[in-house]
Amino acid sequence: MATKKHDDHENYPTVLVTKTVTVHPKPLLHHPQQILHLSNLDRQCPMLMYVVFFYKPCFAYQNLSLGSIFNSLKSGLEETLSIWYPAAGRLSLNQADGKLNLWCNNGGAVLAEAVTTAKIIQLGDLSQYKEFFERLAYKPVFQGNFSQMPLIVAQVTRFGCGGYSISIGASHSLFDGPATYDFLRAWASNSAILKEKRSTLQIYEPVHERGPLLVGTQHGQQQLTKLPESGSSAPTRGAAAIDHLHQLIKQALAGPDMKFGGSNFSNTGNSNLVLKTFHLSGAMIESLKIKVFGGESRGSFSFSSFELIAAHLWKARTKALGVKKGAMVCLQFAVDLRNKMVPPLPKGFSGNAFVLASIALTAEQLEGSSHEAIIEKIKQAKNSITNDYVIAYNKALDGGAAQGSLPPINELTLVSDWTRMPFHTIDFLHGEAAYVSPLLSPIPQVAYFMQNPNDLRGIDVRIGLPPQFLNAFSHYFLTNLQ
């Protein structure tokens, strides 16, 4: 039965869902039902994370029906799930310890078909988030029972102009960013819409077992013996991100004169954040480099665009939010640990394989520090992510430390680097997507660094900000960039 998605906030036409099917793996390989034990890294955010691909009208598929595209996507998903079989399962709560694991029961993914009379051109700049984008995604009803929630959901929508959107939601307990990217590449290849299947696609065979990231396994116990036992009884020793987070929470609860941006936890929420994308062109980034270093030779001091923009964003956000000078402020960013473990995780590892690196200063120290000094601290934080750090971080999470449920904290700046995952190059239809937009996430204050399809030297920065601070942030962030 068709269902309508209503949006009272924006004046866009209705999106009508015309078909919804459950997609099961093709019986190419027999995978018996089994429990796949998740790591503590997997369990931090079990909710669905969404991206939506936009494909503008194209002569190549103007004569293709929505039904034929839907069927090709369905067939490709069936084939992909036969290899990425945990994606067809469900999360399962272990009654003994209260932890989530993955039940590989072939319950299936969900694929929806929809139409709208809206035209893609009406959406304007696709890099700027709009609430209408949420209506392009299939959102299963969730009543708190993870065992009933599909881990992969998707919706293909035909626009009135002949363009398409394809939205995909994936449980963050299933994949991290790089694994999601590989899964979607495989699915697009297997769907073979307007192209032949590419059996030579360079994707490693996925490895679903979490292996050394499982706290309590034999291998994990061998790893844990490497942790220093003397000098501290704190389970988070070596995991600066967890230690700093605990300090921020303690600071927030210290008293009325140390509130977060003038707000208590109780009245700080995600719903009032505005998602804004700032496009930093290659020329703007180069301009910042020149202005920061005065056009002088940097000698042996080298740095990445990520390090420069992360340092600049941290300073701009902290200043814009009016954090008190004596308050502790943190920059935390995700670091891929696949090659940080000893031995490294296998190629094709499909689980969550990132930890947060962390830097802590007072707001006054941050404002007084040069970009070069902050970049050096970012480098040091990256280099601190060792095998022991990963073990300490993972073990701390086993004790219940989590970030997924925290409200936005003005003193905490979070960054996730997507620039090495060019989602727009995934050609579900003909050629690259015009844009790929993340939808509203459980932690909307995170700043995502993404590639821009039209400027490969540039970076798109998507960030959630309280509306009253948006103008101030724009001013401080764009200073030295224009």
Side-chain angles (χ1 to χ4, degrees):
M1 187 170 108
T3 59
K4 292 184 179 180
K5 298 184 178 182
H6 298 284
D7 192 333
D8 296 329
H9 301 283
E10 298 187 46
N11 188 26
Y12 290 109
T14 296
V15 175
L16 182 68
V17 176
T18 55
K19 184 189 301 182
T20 304
V21 300
T22 300
V23 182
H24 300 278
K26 280 186 177 178
L28 301 178
L29 297 172
H30 177 65
H31 297 290
Q33 294 196 17
Q34 58 180 301
I35 293 292
L36 180 68
H37 291 279
L38 296 177
S39 74
N40 292 326
L41 303 179
D42 294 316
R43 297 182 178 119
Q44 292 311 291
C45 185
M47 303 305 294
L48 298 175
M49 304 285 284
Y50 288 87
V51 292
V52 57
F53 294 71
F54 291 98
Y55 297 91
K56 292 183 176 179
C58 176
F59 177 80
Y61 50 76
Q62 68 176 6
N63 293 323
L64 286 180
S65 68
L66 172 59
S68 67
I69 291 177
F70 179 87
N71 289 335
S72 293
L73 289 172
K74 178 176 178 291
S75 177
L77 183 55
E78 289 171 345
E79 187 170 337
T80 307
L81 290 176
S82 69
I83 304 298
W84 299 73
Y85 59 90
R90 298 291 185 269
L91 294 177
S92 175
L93 188 66
N94 185 328
Q95 298 298 328
D97 59 16
K99 295 180 180 180
L100 289 173
N101 288 309
L102 211 164
W103 181 25
C104 300
N105 65 348
N106 295 323
V110 175
L111 180 62
E113 173 190 279
V115 294
T116 180
T117 58
K119 298 178 180 179
I120 290 181
I121 195 172
Q122 290 178 266
L123 303 180
D125 184 356
L126 295 174
S127 72
Q128 296 300 336
Y129 171 84
K130 300 166 184 67
E131 289 187 26
F132 177 76
F133 291 178
E134 302 290 340
R135 297 162 62 187
L136 302 174
Y138 179 82
K139 303 287 185 73
V141 177
F142 177 64
Q143 297 178 330
N145 188 349
F146 283 106
S147 67
Q148 297 178 0
M149 184 183 78
L151 302 181
I152 296 289
V153 299
Q155 177 177 310
V156 53
T157 304
R158 181 180 174 92
F159 282 76
C161 58
Y164 286 86
S165 68
I166 299 175
S167 66
I168 296 100
S171 169
H172 213 321
S173 287
L174 185 66
F175 301 140
D176 64 3
T180 299
Y181 178 67
D182 285 345
F183 173 81
L184 296 180
R185 287 176 66 211
W187 180 11
S189 175
N190 290 333
S191 297
I193 301 173
L194 296 171
K195 58 186 179 293
E196 295 183 358
K197 291 185 180 181
R198 289 163 292 177
S199 58
T200 58
L201 188 67
Q202 294 298 310
I203 298 178
Y204 289 102
E205 187 81 8
V207 177
H208 304 304
E209 295 292 336
R210 274 31 178 187
L213 294 181
L214 297 177
V215 172
T217 62
Q218 181 178 2
H219 183 73
Q221 291 297 338
Q222 293 171 352
Q223 295 284 334
L224 287 173
T225 60
K226 297 180 181 179
L227 283 174
E229 297 179 357
S230 61
S232 174
S233 60
T236 57
R237 179 176 178 140
I242 305 296
D243 289 340
H244 290 164
L245 181 60
H246 287 166
Q247 291 175 53
L248 286 178
I249 295 172
K250 184 178 180 180
Q251 177 178 261
L253 301 175
D257 59 344
M258 196 58 76
K259 296 177 183 177
F260 284 94
S263 299
N264 289 321
F265 278 130
S266 59
N267 57 21
T268 302
N270 294 346
S271 60
N272 65 340
L273 296 186
V274 175
L275 296 184
K276 177 74 173 177
T277 301
F278 296 86
H279 174 60
L280 309 185
S281 67
M284 293 169 72
I285 295 173
E286 193 60 34
S287 174
L288 178 61
K289 291 179 181 178
I290 293 172
K291 291 179 179 179
V292 164
F293 292 96
E296 301 176 358
S297 172
R298 297 189 294 271
S300 61
F301 186 75
S302 62
F303 56 88
S304 66
S305 293
F306 168 82
E307 292 161 351
L308 175 65
I309 301 304
H312 187 65
L313 180 139
W314 189 22
K315 288 173 71 75
R317 181 181 178 276
T318 301
K319 190 170 185 179
L321 295 181
V323 177
K324 293 185 178 182
K325 289 186 177 181
M328 172 184 172
V329 293
C330 286
L331 171 68
Q332 297 193 347
F333 54 92
V335 176
D336 192 323
L337 59 81
R338 286 168 172 80
N339 292 319
K340 303 288 187 179
M341 297 291 290
V342 180
L345 295 179
K347 299 293 185 182
F349 181 83
S350 71
N352 283 273
F354 71 91
V355 293
L356 293 175
S358 186
I359 308 163
L361 297 170
T362 66
E364 185 174 24
Q365 289 172 332
L366 176 61
E367 185 173 1
S369 297
S370 67
H371 282 68
E372 182 175 349
I374 299 171
I375 290 170
E376 186 60 40
K377 290 184 178 296
I378 291 174
K379 288 176 174 290
Q380 293 171 2
K382 282 183 176 179
N383 292 334
S384 74
I385 307 302
T386 63
N387 191 70
D388 283 349
Y389 184 101
V390 173
I391 295 168
Y393 190 101
N394 203 0
K395 188 177 178 183
L397 295 180
D398 197 49
Q403 289 184 310
S405 59
L406 279 178
I409 299 175
N410 289 353
E411 284 76 1
L412 176 62
T413 298
L414 293 165
V415 175
S416 182
D417 185 10
W418 285 21
T419 57
R420 297 184 181 181
M421 298 174 288
F423 284 97
H424 66 277
T425 63
I426 299 176
D427 52 343
F428 278 106
L429 295 178
H430 181 73
E432 297 183 353
Y435 202 80
V436 180
S437 174
L439 298 187
L440 186 65
S441 77
I443 312 178
Q445 68 270 26
V446 174
Y448 293 98
F449 291 7
M450 306 177 292
Q451 283 193 14
N452 183 288
N454 301 313
D455 182 6
L456 298 183
R457 293 177 57 245
I459 295 175
D460 279 1
V461 178
R462 160 77 65 81
I463 186 171
L465 293 162
Q468 67 271 29
F469 298 118
L470 182 57
N471 288 338
F473 176 81
S474 298
H475 170 73
Y476 294 125
F477 187 56
L478 296 179
T479 298
N480 294 329
L481 287 171
Q482 297 175 324

